[in-house]
PDB file of all heavy atoms in Angstrom:
ATOM      1  N   TYR A 631      -6.521 -69.575 -22.128  1.00  0.00           N
ATOM      2  CA  TYR A 631      -6.872 -68.647 -21.054  1.00  0.00           C
ATOM      3  C   TYR A 631      -5.668 -68.374 -20.161  1.00  0.00           C
ATOM      4  O   TYR A 631      -5.360 -67.235 -19.834  1.00  0.00           O
ATOM      5  CB  TYR A 631      -8.021 -69.217 -20.227  1.00  0.00           C
ATOM      6  CG  TYR A 631      -8.377 -68.332 -19.059  1.00  0.00           C
ATOM      7  CD1 TYR A 631      -9.064 -67.137 -19.278  1.00  0.00           C
ATOM      8  CD2 TYR A 631      -8.002 -68.666 -17.766  1.00  0.00           C
ATOM      9  CE1 TYR A 631      -9.380 -66.308 -18.230  1.00  0.00           C
ATOM     10  CE2 TYR A 631      -8.318 -67.837 -16.702  1.00  0.00           C
ATOM     11  CZ  TYR A 631      -9.004 -66.655 -16.942  1.00  0.00           C
ATOM     12  OH  TYR A 631      -9.307 -65.831 -15.909  1.00  0.00           O
ATOM     13  N   ILE A 632      -4.961 -69.454 -19.800  1.00  0.00           N
ATOM     14  CA  ILE A 632      -3.794 -69.281 -18.918  1.00  0.00           C
ATOM     15  C   ILE A 632      -2.782 -68.350 -19.572  1.00  0.00           C
ATOM     16  O   ILE A 632      -2.219 -67.456 -18.960  1.00  0.00           O
ATOM     17  CB  ILE A 632      -3.132 -70.647 -18.635  1.00  0.00           C
ATOM     18  CG1 ILE A 632      -4.072 -71.508 -17.809  1.00  0.00           C
ATOM     19  CG2 ILE A 632      -1.807 -70.461 -17.925  1.00  0.00           C
ATOM     20  CD1 ILE A 632      -3.593 -72.924 -17.631  1.00  0.00           C
ATOM     21  N   ILE A 633      -2.587 -68.599 -20.856  1.00  0.00           N
ATOM     22  CA  ILE A 633      -1.583 -67.820 -21.576  1.00  0.00           C
ATOM     23  C   ILE A 633      -1.990 -66.358 -21.711  1.00  0.00           C
ATOM     24  O   ILE A 633      -1.190 -65.451 -21.522  1.00  0.00           O
ATOM     25  CB  ILE A 633      -1.359 -68.450 -22.967  1.00  0.00           C
ATOM     26  CG1 ILE A 633      -0.436 -69.637 -22.816  1.00  0.00           C
ATOM     27  CG2 ILE A 633      -0.800 -67.450 -23.920  1.00  0.00           C
ATOM     28  CD1 ILE A 633       0.032 -70.196 -24.107  1.00  0.00           C
ATOM     29  N   LEU A 634      -3.274 -66.145 -22.022  1.00  0.00           N
ATOM     30  CA  LEU A 634      -3.692 -64.767 -22.315  1.00  0.00           C
ATOM     31  C   LEU A 634      -4.032 -63.969 -21.070  1.00  0.00           C
ATOM     32  O   LEU A 634      -4.106 -62.757 -21.113  1.00  0.00           O
ATOM     33  CB  LEU A 634      -4.895 -64.772 -23.258  1.00  0.00           C
ATOM     34  CG  LEU A 634      -4.618 -65.295 -24.650  1.00  0.00           C
ATOM     35  CD1 LEU A 634      -5.874 -65.249 -25.488  1.00  0.00           C
ATOM     36  CD2 LEU A 634      -3.518 -64.493 -25.336  1.00  0.00           C
ATOM     37  N   LYS A 635      -4.232 -64.679 -19.983  1.00  0.00           N
ATOM     38  CA  LYS A 635      -4.694 -64.009 -18.770  1.00  0.00           C
ATOM     39  C   LYS A 635      -3.833 -62.805 -18.369  1.00  0.00           C
ATOM     40  O   LYS A 635      -4.362 -61.752 -18.041  1.00  0.00           O
ATOM     41  CB  LYS A 635      -4.744 -65.016 -17.626  1.00  0.00           C
ATOM     42  CG  LYS A 635      -5.573 -64.529 -16.462  1.00  0.00           C
ATOM     43  CD  LYS A 635      -5.630 -65.603 -15.421  1.00  0.00           C
ATOM     44  CE  LYS A 635      -6.150 -65.040 -14.124  1.00  0.00           C
ATOM     45  NZ  LYS A 635      -5.934 -65.959 -13.024  1.00  0.00           N
ATOM     46  N   PRO A 636      -2.486 -62.956 -18.367  1.00  0.00           N
ATOM     47  CA  PRO A 636      -1.701 -61.793 -17.931  1.00  0.00           C
ATOM     48  C   PRO A 636      -1.624 -60.682 -18.971  1.00  0.00           C
ATOM     49  O   PRO A 636      -1.143 -59.602 -18.669  1.00  0.00           O
ATOM     50  CB  PRO A 636      -0.310 -62.383 -17.683  1.00  0.00           C
ATOM     51  CG  PRO A 636      -0.271 -63.666 -18.383  1.00  0.00           C
ATOM     52  CD  PRO A 636      -1.650 -64.111 -18.667  1.00  0.00           C
ATOM     53  N   ILE A 637      -2.079 -60.950 -20.183  1.00  0.00           N
ATOM     54  CA  ILE A 637      -1.993 -59.933 -21.233  1.00  0.00           C
ATOM     55  C   ILE A 637      -3.130 -58.930 -21.021  1.00  0.00           C
ATOM     56  O   ILE A 637      -4.223 -59.325 -20.668  1.00  0.00           O
ATOM     57  CB  ILE A 637      -2.145 -60.584 -22.620  1.00  0.00           C
ATOM     58  CG1 ILE A 637      -1.214 -61.769 -22.755  1.00  0.00           C
ATOM     59  CG2 ILE A 637      -1.905 -59.575 -23.728  1.00  0.00           C
ATOM     60  CD1 ILE A 637       0.236 -61.448 -22.754  1.00  0.00           C
ATOM     61  N   PRO A 638      -2.827 -57.655 -21.265  1.00  0.00           N
ATOM     62  CA  PRO A 638      -3.873 -56.647 -21.048  1.00  0.00           C
ATOM     63  C   PRO A 638      -5.183 -56.997 -21.754  1.00  0.00           C
ATOM     64  O   PRO A 638      -5.180 -57.611 -22.815  1.00  0.00           O
ATOM     65  CB  PRO A 638      -3.274 -55.380 -21.655  1.00  0.00           C
ATOM     66  CG  PRO A 638      -1.817 -55.579 -21.539  1.00  0.00           C
ATOM     67  CD  PRO A 638      -1.561 -57.045 -21.624  1.00  0.00           C
ATOM     68  N   ASP A 639      -6.301 -56.523 -21.151  1.00  0.00           N
ATOM     69  CA  ASP A 639      -7.650 -56.919 -21.551  1.00  0.00           C
ATOM     70  C   ASP A 639      -7.964 -56.795 -23.038  1.00  0.00           C
ATOM     71  O   ASP A 639      -8.622 -57.639 -23.612  1.00  0.00           O
ATOM     72  CB  ASP A 639      -8.689 -56.059 -20.808  1.00  0.00           C
ATOM     73  CG  ASP A 639      -9.025 -56.692 -19.483  1.00  0.00           C
ATOM     74  OD1 ASP A 639      -8.554 -57.834 -19.269  1.00  0.00           O
ATOM     75  OD2 ASP A 639      -9.720 -56.068 -18.689  1.00  0.00           O
ATOM     76  N   ARG A 640      -7.477 -55.743 -23.615  1.00  0.00           N
ATOM     77  CA  ARG A 640      -7.794 -55.479 -25.011  1.00  0.00           C
ATOM     78  C   ARG A 640      -7.497 -56.694 -25.888  1.00  0.00           C
ATOM     79  O   ARG A 640      -8.203 -56.987 -26.838  1.00  0.00           O
ATOM     80  CB  ARG A 640      -6.973 -54.278 -25.470  1.00  0.00           C
ATOM     81  CG  ARG A 640      -7.290 -53.735 -26.819  1.00  0.00           C
ATOM     82  CD  ARG A 640      -6.495 -52.469 -27.025  1.00  0.00           C
ATOM     83  NE  ARG A 640      -5.063 -52.695 -26.800  1.00  0.00           N
ATOM     84  CZ  ARG A 640      -4.252 -53.243 -27.687  1.00  0.00           C
ATOM     85  NH1 ARG A 640      -4.697 -53.632 -28.846  1.00  0.00           N
ATOM     86  NH2 ARG A 640      -2.961 -53.427 -27.417  1.00  0.00           N
ATOM     87  N   LEU A 641      -6.429 -57.399 -25.508  1.00  0.00           N
ATOM     88  CA  LEU A 641      -5.978 -58.492 -26.350  1.00  0.00           C
ATOM     89  C   LEU A 641      -6.819 -59.742 -26.174  1.00  0.00           C
ATOM     90  O   LEU A 641      -6.850 -60.614 -27.022  1.00  0.00           O
ATOM     91  CB  LEU A 641      -4.514 -58.790 -26.032  1.00  0.00           C
ATOM     92  CG  LEU A 641      -3.630 -57.560 -26.242  1.00  0.00           C
ATOM     93  CD1 LEU A 641      -2.298 -57.750 -25.599  1.00  0.00           C
ATOM     94  CD2 LEU A 641      -3.494 -57.270 -27.717  1.00  0.00           C
ATOM     95  N   LYS A 642      -7.526 -59.788 -25.033  1.00  0.00           N
ATOM     96  CA  LYS A 642      -8.354 -60.966 -24.813  1.00  0.00           C
ATOM     97  C   LYS A 642      -9.672 -60.845 -25.562  1.00  0.00           C
ATOM     98  O   LYS A 642     -10.425 -61.797 -25.646  1.00  0.00           O
ATOM     99  CB  LYS A 642      -8.623 -61.122 -23.319  1.00  0.00           C
ATOM    100  CG  LYS A 642      -7.804 -62.234 -22.695  1.00  0.00           C
ATOM    101  CD  LYS A 642      -8.215 -62.449 -21.267  1.00  0.00           C
ATOM    102  CE  LYS A 642      -7.692 -61.351 -20.377  1.00  0.00           C
ATOM    103  NZ  LYS A 642      -7.952 -61.567 -18.962  1.00  0.00           N
ATOM    104  N   ASP A 643      -9.923 -59.658 -26.083  1.00  0.00           N
ATOM    105  CA  ASP A 643     -11.224 -59.409 -26.695  1.00  0.00           C
ATOM    106  C   ASP A 643     -11.628 -60.441 -27.732  1.00  0.00           C
ATOM    107  O   ASP A 643     -12.774 -60.845 -27.790  1.00  0.00           O
ATOM    108  CB  ASP A 643     -11.235 -58.020 -27.346  1.00  0.00           C
ATOM    109  CG  ASP A 643     -11.491 -56.956 -26.304  1.00  0.00           C
ATOM    110  OD1 ASP A 643     -11.669 -57.350 -25.135  1.00  0.00           O
ATOM    111  OD2 ASP A 643     -11.490 -55.775 -26.648  1.00  0.00           O
TER     112      ASP A 643
END
Side-chain angles (χ1 to χ4, degrees):
Chain A
Y631 177 74
I632 293 173
I633 280 189
L634 294 180
K635 197 177 166 193
I637 310 294
D639 272 352
R640 188 174 54 80
L641 302 165
K642 255 186 285 185
D643 279 359

